[in-house]
Amino acid sequence: MTPKTKEELRVTALSGTLPMLSSIQLSWLKRKVGEPKGYVNRKYAWCGECGSPLPKETKSLVGRLSANSRIICSFCGKELALTPSNGSKQCERFYFTLVTVCQEFQVFRHFLVSKVSNKGMNFHISHTEVVQNWINPSGKETVLARSTTAGYYCDQWILSSDMSVKRPVRSHGSSIYDINPNYIYPYRRYIPTLKRNGFYGDFFDLAPSTLTKRILTNSDCEFLLKTRQISLLKYACVRGLDRIPHKESVNICVRHRYTVKSADLWLDMMDTLFFLGKDIRSPFYVCPSDLRSAHDWAVEQKERADRKRRLEEERETARVWEERYRAEKGRFFSLSMSDGRIFIRPLLSVSEFAEEGDRMHHCVFANGYYMREDSLILTARDMEGNRLETVEIDLKGFSVVQSRGACNSMTKWHDQIINLVTGNMHRIREICLSSRISA
Ligand SMILES: [Zn+2]
């Protein structure tokens, strides 16, 4: 994009004054970038540093290499991590970042560095600058970068394109131009505002531009940095939070010199304690010496409370339905049928549904059959009162919908039960008709 705003025009002009990488920086790169490797396949085994061949037996290790497979090159003397390779050329890519200052701006210059190892040759390094983050003391950022195809990956920079102003699409406050590099050059410069806001040279494995913008624009992040609550700071930066949750409790941690070691765990615990109605301003809850156990204790308390609440809800529903069930189905309660071996009668209450479902291991209670207006549920028992089957009758069509024994089985009494109910269906129909007339 062509620079439009005053700041974009200034940054574009200033960017042209930035120096190329110095010979000292280049030699640092050559020394530091990329772990020395020995490349191995069935055909070749060579030192990725000096290109010399490795002993023949190294090739036999193909397929059995682990992270601990190492060898010392007898030519250059470097310790090499043995790595499988495809051909006789290998290329690794890294991000390398310079942290510098230009006028009032904090500047991060990101280079894409390629380390190329060829069999028979010393490795060589090439680099291309791909992104510059220019951040002014108010935390406003201007990005200069090369164009990309889609995505985050190194390969997707179009290295032949020019560095130009970009207006990044941000999600959670970050964009593809907030690069978290593999290497940061150790000699760094920072603007005074950044130091004033508590920054002391550690980016805590966050993208330097992300942390810088947050510290310059967000008072909570500045506070967390100054009070060394780093886990909470990282949590807020990664999620792009404007406000840290449970700020008052964080203040109590700070006052009691308590450092939150794991923000995820601690915040989850605070949410749970808050739910439980505990005093989340008491250091007893807020600053536990063993965070993991304190967290697990709170979660267990919450689960217990949840279970109790669910049980109460179920009971309450059943209580409400008890009255309705009596009103709707009470007219059938005097009904009973028997052939001398089997005795059948309606279930007389919702709690009887619960008991029937429980004993027979079927869903007559769980599926709320007591709420069904057009169903009448009967229990069929032997003359000793043992449950045989549970019967559902359709009160519209006056037919048996289903009759099930324990665990939804069909028992040897099944046909007998169906016959008995069918033979008495006229009585059910009469009760329905007379109640319709009286209504
Ligand atoms: Zn070597």
Side-chain angles (χ1 to χ4, degrees):
M1 280 169 210
T2 40
K4 280 186 188 146
T5 65
K6 236 185 193 176
E7 186 125 313
E8 286 172 356
L9 284 161
R10 252 193 89 214
V11 162
T12 308
L14 285 172
S15 172
T17 68
L18 293 177
M20 312 262 274
L21 288 187
S22 68
S23 57
I24 296 171
Q25 287 164 336
L26 284 171
S27 74
W28 185 92
L29 260 185
K30 211 164 175 187
R31 269 183 289 120
K32 298 286 181 178
V33 165
E35 183 193 19
K37 284 183 177 165
Y39 291 108
V40 187
N41 56 42
R42 291 196 192 286
K43 232 170 152 187
Y44 312 110
W46 84 96
C47 168
E49 297 291 299
C50 70
S52 310
L54 296 174
K56 271 183 188 158
E57 55 272 24
T58 318
K59 284 184 262 183
S60 64
L61 292 172
V62 175
R64 292 188 286 130
L65 294 174
S66 74
N68 299 323
S69 305
R70 287 176 180 273
I71 195 170
I72 299 206
C73 172
S74 54
F75 293 90
C76 67
K78 287 189 179 160
E79 187 182 330
L80 312 173
L82 291 175
T83 311
S85 74
N86 290 326
S88 58
K89 181 180 177 178
Q90 289 290 320
C91 178
E92 287 185 291
R93 287 179 159 176
F94 307 94
Y95 282 115
F96 164 72
T97 296
L98 287 183
V99 180
T100 187
V101 168
C102 184
Q103 298 205 357
E104 77 272 31
F105 294 97
Q106 180 66 53
V107 184
F108 299 103
R109 303 177 66 189
H110 307 285
F111 297 81
L112 182 63
V113 177
S114 300
K115 178 175 182 176
V116 181
S117 302
N118 275 303
K119 185 170 94 66
M121 293 160 78
N122 277 322
F123 78 92
H124 70 272
I125 290 240
S126 63
H127 67 274
T128 311
E129 189 163 15
V130 287
V131 176
Q132 292 172 359
N133 314 93
W134 293 70
I135 301 168
N136 74 17
S138 324
K140 189 174 176 296
E141 181 190 35
T142 305
V143 173
L144 293 188
R146 296 195 195 273
S147 303
T148 54
T149 57
Y152 278 87
Y153 301 103
C154 304
D155 292 343
Q156 282 152 339
W157 298 107
I158 302 169
L159 297 182
S160 56
S161 64
D162 289 329
M163 294 283 276
S164 63
V165 170
K166 300 285 185 263
R167 296 188 189 98
V169 181
R170 293 190 171 90
S171 124
H172 301 302
S174 290
S175 76
I176 58 164
Y177 303 107
D178 292 308
I179 287 172
N180 196 351
N182 307 87
Y183 300 94
I184 300 179
Y185 193 58
Y187 302 99
R188 309 168 189 184
R189 293 171 66 205
Y190 304 108
I191 54 171
T193 324
L194 200 56
K195 289 187 201 163
R196 188 203 68 198
N197 286 15
F199 183 76
Y200 54 94
D202 196 337
F203 294 108
F204 313 112
D205 300 323
L206 294 164
S209 52
T210 302
L211 184 68
T212 302
K213 283 179 278 180
R214 298 291 291 175
I215 293 169
L216 293 175
T217 57
N218 185 283
S219 57
D220 274 8
C221 287
E222 184 189 337
F223 169 76
L224 292 171
L225 176 66
K226 282 181 171 166
T227 55
R228 300 291 187 265
Q229 294 289 356
I230 303 308
S231 182
L232 288 166
L233 171 67
K234 287 172 82 169
Y235 184 95
C237 286
V238 168
R239 287 163 184 78
L241 301 181
D242 284 334
R243 289 272 161 269
I244 186 77
H246 300 294
K247 180 75 186 289
E248 277 193 34
S249 304
V250 176
N251 286 336
I252 286 157
C253 290
V254 171
R255 221 171 294 147
H256 287 80
R257 297 174 186 280
Y258 178 85
T259 306
V260 174
K261 293 272 165 51
S262 159
D264 287 291
L265 211 58
W266 187 82
L267 287 167
D268 191 48
M269 179 185 78
M270 295 315 295
D271 286 342
T272 314
L273 290 170
F274 180 74
F275 171 88
L276 290 169
K278 302 290 182 197
D279 179 8
I280 56 168
R281 293 199 286 182
S282 150
F284 173 77
Y285 288 116
V286 174
C287 313
S289 54
D290 182 345
L291 176 58
R292 167 59 68 181
S293 325
H295 168 271
D296 293 354
W297 174 84
V299 169
E300 199 189 310
Q301 294 296 307
K302 181 169 180 285
E303 277 169 5
R304 203 176 286 175
D306 282 345
R307 271 200 301 277
K308 201 175 156 198
R309 185 179 45 78
R310 271 200 305 275
L311 209 68
E312 271 163 15
E313 275 170 14
E314 273 170 24
R315 275 196 203 135
E316 180 58 22
T317 315
R319 198 185 60 75
V320 170
W321 270 94
E322 203 69 81
E323 284 165 30
R324 271 184 76 173
Y325 180 71
R326 216 175 301 132
E328 277 178 16
K329 302 286 159 60
R331 57 203 155 121
F332 299 102
F333 285 0
S334 58
L335 189 73
S336 68
M337 40 193 101
S338 179
D339 60 1
R341 284 168 297 170
I342 294 174
F343 173 77
I344 299 177
R345 65 163 176 83
L347 290 175
L348 301 177
S349 64
V350 176
S351 49
E352 271 204 357
F353 273 80
E355 209 183 323
E356 186 89 356
D358 192 39
R359 295 289 180 82
M360 301 287 273
H361 305 288
H362 58 39
C363 55
V364 72
F365 175 71
N367 284 359
Y369 275 82
Y370 51 87
M371 299 183 205
R372 299 189 183 185
E373 206 180 321
D374 295 323
S375 281
L376 179 65
I377 304 296
L378 311 172
T379 175
R381 304 184 181 192
D382 65 14
M383 298 316 280
E384 273 93 54
N386 300 308
R387 289 178 175 81
L388 304 176
E389 290 195 6
T390 309
V391 188
E392 182 189 5
I393 290 170
D394 171 23
L395 293 177
K396 274 189 170 159
F398 298 103
S399 59
V400 176
V401 181
Q402 55 179 336
S403 182
R404 303 291 170 108
C407 305
N408 288 318
S409 64
M410 218 181 259
T411 66
K412 61 177 179 179
W413 297 280
H414 183 73
D415 291 342
Q416 212 177 323
I417 291 168
I418 301 287
N419 286 338
L420 186 56
V421 175
T422 316
N424 282 281
M425 197 64 84
H426 65 280
R427 295 171 60 199
I428 296 171
R429 191 196 296 260
E430 271 163 27
I431 295 173
C432 281
L433 276 174
S434 64
S435 61
R436 237 172 265 163
I437 290 161
S438 64

